[in-house]
Amino acid sequence: MQITEVFTPPQILRVHELACEIWNEHYPSIISQQQVDYMLQKFQSPQVILEQINARYRYYLLGDKEDVYGYMAVQQQRNTLFISKLYIQKEQRKKGYAKAALAFLCTLAQKQGVSRLSLTVNIRNTIAIKSYESLGFINTGTQLQDIGEGYLMDDFTFEYQC
């Protein structure tokens, strides 16, 4: 698997396209389509991705020589590297890509002087929860966040020790 840091407008557009594809495939069974649409606009539009990169988020495309099939975004927060996003196309899941991404992120975290990864996941996203637990993430609690327009993110928090 190749992991490529996102810098250019075409790469940012590819992240947005992947987000629209993956989120619309996965999330309507967990949250409403209206909330999916709202969150894609609020968190994954090309303009917002660029703003996040300028605010020290690091975005990466996941793929191989022929295709790109996922993306992730991280931000260093105090003593942890926060995984803001980690998404892989449905047909590419269960092939070890998340495990490879995790190894990459642990190396990145250690280079930044931290040894812990953290993330949040919707409490009804059982597929992702099982995946993170199988990778060794530990559930550390819950978090309820108002994201505007009457929508809430109701998440578990997870941590991983590199």
Side-chain angles (χ1 to χ4, degrees), residues 10-105:
Q11 290 172 320
I12 290 169
L13 184 58
R14 184 65 180 129
V15 168
H16 171 70
E17 292 167 350
L18 283 165
C20 290
E21 174 191 338
I22 295 167
W23 287 38
N24 279 300
E25 173 269 318
H26 185 73
Y27 282 110
S29 65
I30 298 169
I31 59 177
S32 71
Q33 183 64 54
Q34 292 81 9
Q35 185 170 350
V36 171
D37 295 342
Y38 173 77
M39 291 177 70
L40 282 169
Q41 183 61 36
K42 183 171 177 76
F43 299 118
Q44 293 291 259
S45 69
Q47 178 182 342
V48 171
I49 294 167
L50 179 59
E51 289 169 3
Q52 290 175 344
I53 290 170
N54 290 334
R56 300 184 137 191
Y57 278 81
R58 295 176 75 175
Y59 272 81
Y60 298 91
L61 290 169
L62 311 176
D64 54 36
K65 290 180 181 178
E66 292 84 38
D67 196 18
V68 174
Y69 42 73
Y71 71 100
M72 60 185 175
V74 296
Q75 182 187 46
Q76 186 164 346
Q77 296 180 344
R78 294 187 214 132
N79 300 328
T80 186
L81 186 64
F82 175 67
I83 304 170
S84 172
K85 296 150 188 75
L86 176 55
Y87 296 101
I88 298 171
Q89 291 172 319
K90 184 176 183 176
E91 59 275 2
Q92 298 297 331
R93 294 178 197 148
K94 298 185 180 184
K95 295 184 178 182
Y97 298 137
K99 188 174 185 176
L102 181 61
F104 172 86
L105 292 175

